[in-house]
Amino acid sequence: MPQPMQRQRGFTLIELLIALTLMAVLAGLGWRGLDSLMRTREQTQAHVDQTAVLQTVLAQWQADLNAVQAVPGIADAGVSWDGRTLRLTRHATAARADGADAGVWVVGWTLRDSQWVRWQSAPLTSRSALQQAWVQAERWGRNPSSDDAALEVVLLPLEAWQLTYFRSNAWTHPLSSSGTSGSPGAAPISTLPDAIRLQIDVPARTGLRGQLTLDWVRPHFSNTKS
């Protein structure tokens, strides 16, 4: 005897609409979570990148000071701060094909248009070329020409920076009387300070907002005073 056919019950239109609505809601929640995760990842990566840039710039600052080389006969050569630009003469590290001494670089650091900027001359091997580059670095710090600007590198945004010298067993302003030869308006003495303290104010837009302090100590300096 043949069995009666059983009717297969399907989903009603209302049930399908409810299921599709629930799936749309779950998909929306999932997308919002994924979007938030991606934004957090991008912000974290940007912070890591900014930190790496800052570390690289400060490493260059330390390297410039560690390689400072005073040049007798050229006023201020070594380290000179005029309240706006730090100029220094340092040993060049660019290798020469003939193995000869690479010479000296003149380097400048300044803050312009809320950007920390570094300037570097070509390797110099004569006193006349060094004197010319030393004057050029001063001009670059005040009013750079297009030729001067071609030798600069914009490093990172800064709100402000400040330098303090450690001399005569005390921290003093670089332009104070302890850094001159004794008469008003005299050029700074050529001897290097025992230490230089750098303070920089990093703006919020970099993701590293705050003030950072970095002390550089002259190699072989030993403070024997109590």
Side-chain angles (χ1 to χ4, degrees):
M1 182 176 180
Q3 298 291 330
M5 295 182 61
Q6 296 182 354
R7 292 184 61 187
Q8 295 183 353
R9 184 176 179 275
F11 294 103
T12 65
L13 180 59
I14 294 179
E15 290 173 335
L16 288 174
L17 290 176
I18 293 174
L20 290 175
T21 302
L22 291 175
M23 292 175 62
V25 171
L26 292 175
L29 292 176
W31 173 253
R32 290 181 60 184
L34 180 61
D35 182 63
S36 177
L37 180 63
M38 294 299 294
R39 289 177 181 272
T40 301
R41 179 184 176 185
E42 291 174 358
Q43 292 173 355
T44 301
Q45 186 61 49
H47 182 79
V48 170
D49 293 343
Q50 289 289 347
T51 301
V53 170
L54 179 59
Q55 290 176 338
T56 301
V57 171
L58 293 181
Q60 181 65 66
W61 171 267
Q62 290 272 27
D64 283 347
L65 290 173
N66 286 335
V68 164
Q69 181 175 333
V71 181
I74 297 181
D76 307 347
V79 175
S80 178
W81 167 253
D82 61 7
R84 178 185 179 92
T85 302
L86 180 74
R87 290 179 297 159
L88 55 91
T89 52
R90 58 154 295 178
H91 183 72
T93 57
R96 297 183 57 177
D98 58 2
D101 191 304
V104 175
W105 285 327
V106 173
V107 173
W109 292 74
T110 195
L111 182 64
R112 185 192 312 129
D113 299 328
S114 299
Q115 296 284 342
W116 209 15
V117 188
R118 181 181 181 272
W119 183 91
Q120 178 179 299
S121 71
L124 309 166
T125 55
S126 69
R127 183 174 298 275
S128 60
L130 177 57
Q131 178 68 66
Q132 183 178 358
W134 189 248
V135 174
Q136 184 182 5
E138 182 180 21
R139 182 183 65 210
W140 164 81
R142 297 179 182 276
N143 186 24
S145 65
S146 57
D147 291 339
D148 297 336
L151 298 175
E152 70 179 31
V153 176
V154 177
L155 302 173
L156 76 163
L158 279 190
E159 291 182 345
W161 70 317
Q162 181 179 347
L163 296 180
T164 312
Y165 285 1
F166 188 79
R167 299 173 296 199
S168 303
N169 205 38
W171 289 102
T172 61
H173 191 279
L175 298 179
S176 66
S177 58
S178 59
T180 65
S181 57
S183 59
I189 57 177
S190 59
T191 55
L192 301 179
D194 298 321
I196 297 177
R197 173 167 292 168
L198 168 69
Q199 290 182 324
I200 58 175
D201 294 326
V202 184
R205 67 179 183 273
T206 64
L208 302 171
R209 181 179 183 180
Q211 186 177 87
L212 298 176
T213 301
L214 179 66
D215 287 346
W216 170 82
V217 179
R218 178 168 53 83
H220 311 302
F221 167 67
S222 177
N223 187 2
T224 57
K225 298 180 180 180
S226 57

